[in-house]
Amino acid sequence: MPRTPAPTPPALLAPGPPPPGHGPAGTGLVAEIEAYLASLPTPARTPVPYVCPYGSTPRPWHADHPAPRATLLDRALGRPARPVPVTAAGHLGLASRYIGAYGWLQGAMWDEAGRVCLLGAQAAVLAHGYGTPATVRTARVQLMEVLHATGRPARSPDEFNDRPTTREGDIHQLLDRAAARAARLGL
């Protein structure tokens, strides 16, 4: 006896198009959504910063701060320009960038190659006209606070700089933490 295929249940049949007037298209919902989307303002294009495919240009260590400028009276009297006011946090950041630009050393304030220690960097930032001696004193107090808070007691930041276990990265980290602390305190 030949076998006849079993009939396919109606639930397994492919559904046909919905009857007219049913579904999202028939209720006008699609047209309403399209009209709403068309009424919205077009999003403004946000400008993307240009990134050079060949790398970045070198920037001087004091790039974000104006250069000290001698006034006419300063030039007439032969005196140096007034220092650019910086906060203690700004001074510590500049000292870190100065070490990054010229190099770091231990055992001396500077050498003939231009490398500097922590104190030498602070002195160089001050000598270039950024901040006052009071700014440097406040910054050094912040350095000492961070050293003691992180469990690295020292008599001075310079002693920490000259320890045989200290590396340049430790100095940058110390300067960054002290700058963050000074910024939080508004110094």
mmCIF file with all atom_site columns, all heavy atoms in Angstrom, residues 94-109:
data_model
loop_
_atom_site.group_PDB
_atom_site.id
_atom_site.type_symbol
_atom_site.label_atom_id
_atom_site.label_alt_id
_atom_site.label_comp_id
_atom_site.label_asym_id
_atom_site.label_entity_id
_atom_site.label_seq_id
_atom_site.pdbx_PDB_ins_code
_atom_site.Cartn_x
_atom_site.Cartn_y
_atom_site.Cartn_z
_atom_site.occupancy
_atom_site.B_iso_or_equiv
_atom_site.pdbx_formal_charge
_atom_site.auth_seq_id
_atom_site.auth_comp_id
_atom_site.auth_asym_id
_atom_site.auth_atom_id
_atom_site.pdbx_PDB_model_num
ATOM 1   N N   . LEU A 1 94  ? 54.953 71.396 36.666 1.00 0.00 ? 94  LEU A N   1
ATOM 2   C CA  . LEU A 1 94  ? 56.034 71.921 35.829 1.00 0.00 ? 94  LEU A CA  1
ATOM 3   C C   . LEU A 1 94  ? 57.366 71.257 36.166 1.00 0.00 ? 94  LEU A C   1
ATOM 4   O O   . LEU A 1 94  ? 58.171 70.979 35.272 1.00 0.00 ? 94  LEU A O   1
ATOM 5   C CB  . LEU A 1 94  ? 56.142 73.436 35.993 1.00 0.00 ? 94  LEU A CB  1
ATOM 6   C CG  . LEU A 1 94  ? 55.078 74.267 35.285 1.00 0.00 ? 94  LEU A CG  1
ATOM 7   C CD1 . LEU A 1 94  ? 55.168 75.722 35.715 1.00 0.00 ? 94  LEU A CD1 1
ATOM 8   C CD2 . LEU A 1 94  ? 55.201 74.138 33.784 1.00 0.00 ? 94  LEU A CD2 1
ATOM 9   N N   . ALA A 1 95  ? 57.602 70.992 37.441 1.00 0.00 ? 95  ALA A N   1
ATOM 10  C CA  . ALA A 1 95  ? 58.852 70.324 37.834 1.00 0.00 ? 95  ALA A CA  1
ATOM 11  C C   . ALA A 1 95  ? 58.924 68.924 37.239 1.00 0.00 ? 95  ALA A C   1
ATOM 12  O O   . ALA A 1 95  ? 59.977 68.494 36.754 1.00 0.00 ? 95  ALA A O   1
ATOM 13  C CB  . ALA A 1 95  ? 58.964 70.265 39.359 1.00 0.00 ? 95  ALA A CB  1
ATOM 14  N N   . SER A 1 96  ? 57.796 68.215 37.241 1.00 0.00 ? 96  SER A N   1
ATOM 15  C CA  . SER A 1 96  ? 57.763 66.874 36.646 1.00 0.00 ? 96  SER A CA  1
ATOM 16  C C   . SER A 1 96  ? 58.029 66.943 35.144 1.00 0.00 ? 96  SER A C   1
ATOM 17  O O   . SER A 1 96  ? 58.787 66.135 34.597 1.00 0.00 ? 96  SER A O   1
ATOM 18  C CB  . SER A 1 96  ? 56.414 66.213 36.932 1.00 0.00 ? 96  SER A CB  1
ATOM 19  O OG  . SER A 1 96  ? 56.359 64.940 36.349 1.00 0.00 ? 96  SER A OG  1
ATOM 20  N N   . ARG A 1 97  ? 57.419 67.926 34.483 1.00 0.00 ? 97  ARG A N   1
ATOM 21  C CA  . ARG A 1 97  ? 57.630 68.056 33.043 1.00 0.00 ? 97  ARG A CA  1
ATOM 22  C C   . ARG A 1 97  ? 59.062 68.497 32.725 1.00 0.00 ? 97  ARG A C   1
ATOM 23  O O   . ARG A 1 97  ? 59.622 68.101 31.706 1.00 0.00 ? 97  ARG A O   1
ATOM 24  C CB  . ARG A 1 97  ? 56.607 69.033 32.470 1.00 0.00 ? 97  ARG A CB  1
ATOM 25  C CG  . ARG A 1 97  ? 55.224 68.397 32.449 1.00 0.00 ? 97  ARG A CG  1
ATOM 26  C CD  . ARG A 1 97  ? 54.080 69.313 32.193 1.00 0.00 ? 97  ARG A CD  1
ATOM 27  N NE  . ARG A 1 97  ? 54.264 70.241 31.108 1.00 0.00 ? 97  ARG A NE  1
ATOM 28  C CZ  . ARG A 1 97  ? 53.380 71.170 30.796 1.00 0.00 ? 97  ARG A CZ  1
ATOM 29  N NH1 . ARG A 1 97  ? 52.257 71.254 31.469 1.00 0.00 ? 97  ARG A NH1 1
ATOM 30  N NH2 . ARG A 1 97  ? 53.601 71.995 29.809 1.00 0.00 ? 97  ARG A NH2 1
ATOM 31  N N   . TYR A 1 98  ? 59.658 69.295 33.604 1.00 0.00 ? 98  TYR A N   1
ATOM 32  C CA  . TYR A 1 98  ? 61.047 69.710 33.397 1.00 0.00 ? 98  TYR A CA  1
ATOM 33  C C   . TYR A 1 98  ? 61.979 68.507 33.484 1.00 0.00 ? 98  TYR A C   1
ATOM 34  O O   . TYR A 1 98  ? 62.875 68.342 32.651 1.00 0.00 ? 98  TYR A O   1
ATOM 35  C CB  . TYR A 1 98  ? 61.447 70.776 34.431 1.00 0.00 ? 98  TYR A CB  1
ATOM 36  C CG  . TYR A 1 98  ? 62.742 71.450 34.112 1.00 0.00 ? 98  TYR A CG  1
ATOM 37  C CD1 . TYR A 1 98  ? 62.769 72.592 33.321 1.00 0.00 ? 98  TYR A CD1 1
ATOM 38  C CD2 . TYR A 1 98  ? 63.958 70.958 34.575 1.00 0.00 ? 98  TYR A CD2 1
ATOM 39  C CE1 . TYR A 1 98  ? 63.961 73.215 32.997 1.00 0.00 ? 98  TYR A CE1 1
ATOM 40  C CE2 . TYR A 1 98  ? 65.149 71.572 34.262 1.00 0.00 ? 98  TYR A CE2 1
ATOM 41  C CZ  . TYR A 1 98  ? 65.147 72.698 33.471 1.00 0.00 ? 98  TYR A CZ  1
ATOM 42  O OH  . TYR A 1 98  ? 66.328 73.304 33.140 1.00 0.00 ? 98  TYR A OH  1
ATOM 43  N N   . ILE A 1 99  ? 61.750 67.647 34.479 1.00 0.00 ? 99  ILE A N   1
ATOM 44  C CA  . ILE A 1 99  ? 62.563 66.427 34.590 1.00 0.00 ? 99  ILE A CA  1
ATOM 45  C C   . ILE A 1 99  ? 62.340 65.547 33.366 1.00 0.00 ? 99  ILE A C   1
ATOM 46  O O   . ILE A 1 99  ? 63.295 64.969 32.829 1.00 0.00 ? 99  ILE A O   1
ATOM 47  C CB  . ILE A 1 99  ? 62.224 65.666 35.891 1.00 0.00 ? 99  ILE A CB  1
ATOM 48  C CG1 . ILE A 1 99  ? 62.738 66.443 37.103 1.00 0.00 ? 99  ILE A CG1 1
ATOM 49  C CG2 . ILE A 1 99  ? 62.822 64.265 35.874 1.00 0.00 ? 99  ILE A CG2 1
ATOM 50  C CD1 . ILE A 1 99  ? 62.289 65.880 38.436 1.00 0.00 ? 99  ILE A CD1 1
ATOM 51  N N   . GLY A 1 100 ? 61.107 65.449 32.895 1.00 0.00 ? 100 GLY A N   1
ATOM 52  C CA  . GLY A 1 100 ? 60.828 64.654 31.704 1.00 0.00 ? 100 GLY A CA  1
ATOM 53  C C   . GLY A 1 100 ? 61.527 65.195 30.469 1.00 0.00 ? 100 GLY A C   1
ATOM 54  O O   . GLY A 1 100 ? 61.959 64.439 29.593 1.00 0.00 ? 100 GLY A O   1
ATOM 55  N N   . ALA A 1 101 ? 61.666 66.514 30.384 1.00 0.00 ? 101 ALA A N   1
ATOM 56  C CA  . ALA A 1 101 ? 62.284 67.119 29.205 1.00 0.00 ? 101 ALA A CA  1
ATOM 57  C C   . ALA A 1 101 ? 63.812 67.062 29.244 1.00 0.00 ? 101 ALA A C   1
ATOM 58  O O   . ALA A 1 101 ? 64.451 66.838 28.213 1.00 0.00 ? 101 ALA A O   1
ATOM 59  C CB  . ALA A 1 101 ? 61.836 68.580 29.079 1.00 0.00 ? 101 ALA A CB  1
ATOM 60  N N   . TYR A 1 102 ? 64.404 67.248 30.418 1.00 0.00 ? 102 TYR A N   1
ATOM 61  C CA  . TYR A 1 102 ? 65.863 67.359 30.490 1.00 0.00 ? 102 TYR A CA  1
ATOM 62  C C   . TYR A 1 102 ? 66.561 66.174 31.134 1.00 0.00 ? 102 TYR A C   1
ATOM 63  O O   . TYR A 1 102 ? 67.777 66.060 31.048 1.00 0.00 ? 102 TYR A O   1
ATOM 64  C CB  . TYR A 1 102 ? 66.255 68.648 31.225 1.00 0.00 ? 102 TYR A CB  1
ATOM 65  C CG  . TYR A 1 102 ? 65.894 69.871 30.427 1.00 0.00 ? 102 TYR A CG  1
ATOM 66  C CD1 . TYR A 1 102 ? 64.755 70.603 30.724 1.00 0.00 ? 102 TYR A CD1 1
ATOM 67  C CD2 . TYR A 1 102 ? 66.676 70.268 29.352 1.00 0.00 ? 102 TYR A CD2 1
ATOM 68  C CE1 . TYR A 1 102 ? 64.411 71.717 29.972 1.00 0.00 ? 102 TYR A CE1 1
ATOM 69  C CE2 . TYR A 1 102 ? 66.349 71.376 28.598 1.00 0.00 ? 102 TYR A CE2 1
ATOM 70  C CZ  . TYR A 1 102 ? 65.202 72.096 28.914 1.00 0.00 ? 102 TYR A CZ  1
ATOM 71  O OH  . TYR A 1 102 ? 64.858 73.180 28.167 1.00 0.00 ? 102 TYR A OH  1
ATOM 72  N N   . GLY A 1 103 ? 65.820 65.312 31.798 1.00 0.00 ? 103 GLY A N   1
ATOM 73  C CA  . GLY A 1 103 ? 66.424 64.142 32.410 1.00 0.00 ? 103 GLY A CA  1
ATOM 74  C C   . GLY A 1 103 ? 66.572 64.298 33.913 1.00 0.00 ? 103 GLY A C   1
ATOM 75  O O   . GLY A 1 103 ? 66.475 65.394 34.458 1.00 0.00 ? 103 GLY A O   1
ATOM 76  N N   . TRP A 1 104 ? 66.788 63.168 34.568 1.00 0.00 ? 104 TRP A N   1
ATOM 77  C CA  . TRP A 1 104 ? 66.843 63.119 36.031 1.00 0.00 ? 104 TRP A CA  1
ATOM 78  C C   . TRP A 1 104 ? 68.183 62.555 36.464 1.00 0.00 ? 104 TRP A C   1
ATOM 79  O O   . TRP A 1 104 ? 68.771 61.724 35.771 1.00 0.00 ? 104 TRP A O   1
ATOM 80  C CB  . TRP A 1 104 ? 65.698 62.240 36.512 1.00 0.00 ? 104 TRP A CB  1
ATOM 81  C CG  . TRP A 1 104 ? 65.684 61.973 37.973 1.00 0.00 ? 104 TRP A CG  1
ATOM 82  C CD1 . TRP A 1 104 ? 65.351 62.849 38.963 1.00 0.00 ? 104 TRP A CD1 1
ATOM 83  C CD2 . TRP A 1 104 ? 65.989 60.748 38.616 1.00 0.00 ? 104 TRP A CD2 1
ATOM 84  N NE1 . TRP A 1 104 ? 65.433 62.233 40.182 1.00 0.00 ? 104 TRP A NE1 1
ATOM 85  C CE2 . TRP A 1 104 ? 65.833 60.942 40.002 1.00 0.00 ? 104 TRP A CE2 1
ATOM 86  C CE3 . TRP A 1 104 ? 66.397 59.498 38.172 1.00 0.00 ? 104 TRP A CE3 1
ATOM 87  C CZ2 . TRP A 1 104 ? 66.054 59.942 40.936 1.00 0.00 ? 104 TRP A CZ2 1
ATOM 88  C CZ3 . TRP A 1 104 ? 66.617 58.494 39.099 1.00 0.00 ? 104 TRP A CZ3 1
ATOM 89  C CH2 . TRP A 1 104 ? 66.440 58.721 40.462 1.00 0.00 ? 104 TRP A CH2 1
ATOM 90  N N   . LEU A 1 105 ? 68.677 63.017 37.616 1.00 0.00 ? 105 LEU A N   1
ATOM 91  C CA  . LEU A 1 105 ? 69.904 62.452 38.158 1.00 0.00 ? 105 LEU A CA  1
ATOM 92  C C   . LEU A 1 105 ? 69.851 62.464 39.676 1.00 0.00 ? 105 LEU A C   1
ATOM 93  O O   . LEU A 1 105 ? 68.986 63.099 40.277 1.00 0.00 ? 105 LEU A O   1
ATOM 94  C CB  . LEU A 1 105 ? 71.139 63.199 37.651 1.00 0.00 ? 105 LEU A CB  1
ATOM 95  C CG  . LEU A 1 105 ? 71.602 64.435 38.400 1.00 0.00 ? 105 LEU A CG  1
ATOM 96  C CD1 . LEU A 1 105 ? 73.108 64.356 38.478 1.00 0.00 ? 105 LEU A CD1 1
ATOM 97  C CD2 . LEU A 1 105 ? 71.208 65.682 37.668 1.00 0.00 ? 105 LEU A CD2 1
ATOM 98  N N   . GLN A 1 106 ? 70.767 61.740 40.269 1.00 0.00 ? 106 GLN A N   1
ATOM 99  C CA  . GLN A 1 106 ? 70.880 61.661 41.717 1.00 0.00 ? 106 GLN A CA  1
ATOM 100 C C   . GLN A 1 106 ? 72.252 62.161 42.146 1.00 0.00 ? 106 GLN A C   1
ATOM 101 O O   . GLN A 1 106 ? 73.225 62.031 41.405 1.00 0.00 ? 106 GLN A O   1
ATOM 102 C CB  . GLN A 1 106 ? 70.714 60.208 42.189 1.00 0.00 ? 106 GLN A CB  1
ATOM 103 C CG  . GLN A 1 106 ? 69.334 59.663 42.009 1.00 0.00 ? 106 GLN A CG  1
ATOM 104 C CD  . GLN A 1 106 ? 69.244 58.197 42.408 1.00 0.00 ? 106 GLN A CD  1
ATOM 105 O OE1 . GLN A 1 106 ? 69.987 57.380 41.895 1.00 0.00 ? 106 GLN A OE1 1
ATOM 106 N NE2 . GLN A 1 106 ? 68.320 57.886 43.309 1.00 0.00 ? 106 GLN A NE2 1
ATOM 107 N N   . GLY A 1 107 ? 72.310 62.711 43.368 1.00 0.00 ? 107 GLY A N   1
ATOM 108 C CA  . GLY A 1 107 ? 73.596 63.096 43.932 1.00 0.00 ? 107 GLY A CA  1
ATOM 109 C C   . GLY A 1 107 ? 74.067 64.492 43.601 1.00 0.00 ? 107 GLY A C   1
ATOM 110 O O   . GLY A 1 107 ? 75.058 64.950 44.131 1.00 0.00 ? 107 GLY A O   1
ATOM 111 N N   . ALA A 1 108 ? 73.398 65.190 42.719 1.00 0.00 ? 108 ALA A N   1
ATOM 112 C CA  . ALA A 1 108 ? 73.767 66.566 42.370 1.00 0.00 ? 108 ALA A CA  1
ATOM 113 C C   . ALA A 1 108 ? 72.499 67.282 41.915 1.00 0.00 ? 108 ALA A C   1
ATOM 114 O O   . ALA A 1 108 ? 71.520 66.649 41.527 1.00 0.00 ? 108 ALA A O   1
ATOM 115 C CB  . ALA A 1 108 ? 74.803 66.585 41.253 1.00 0.00 ? 108 ALA A CB  1
ATOM 116 N N   . MET A 1 109 ? 72.524 68.615 41.986 1.00 0.00 ? 109 MET A N   1
ATOM 117 C CA  . MET A 1 109 ? 71.336 69.362 41.548 1.00 0.00 ? 109 MET A CA  1
ATOM 118 C C   . MET A 1 109 ? 71.197 69.329 40.032 1.00 0.00 ? 109 MET A C   1
ATOM 119 O O   . MET A 1 109 ? 70.097 69.247 39.515 1.00 0.00 ? 109 MET A O   1
ATOM 120 C CB  . MET A 1 109 ? 71.388 70.809 42.039 1.00 0.00 ? 109 MET A CB  1
ATOM 121 C CG  . MET A 1 109 ? 70.957 70.949 43.483 1.00 0.00 ? 109 MET A CG  1
ATOM 122 S SD  . MET A 1 109 ? 70.881 72.652 44.046 1.00 0.00 ? 109 MET A SD  1
ATOM 123 C CE  . MET A 1 109 ? 69.553 73.324 43.115 1.00 0.00 ? 109 MET A CE  1
#
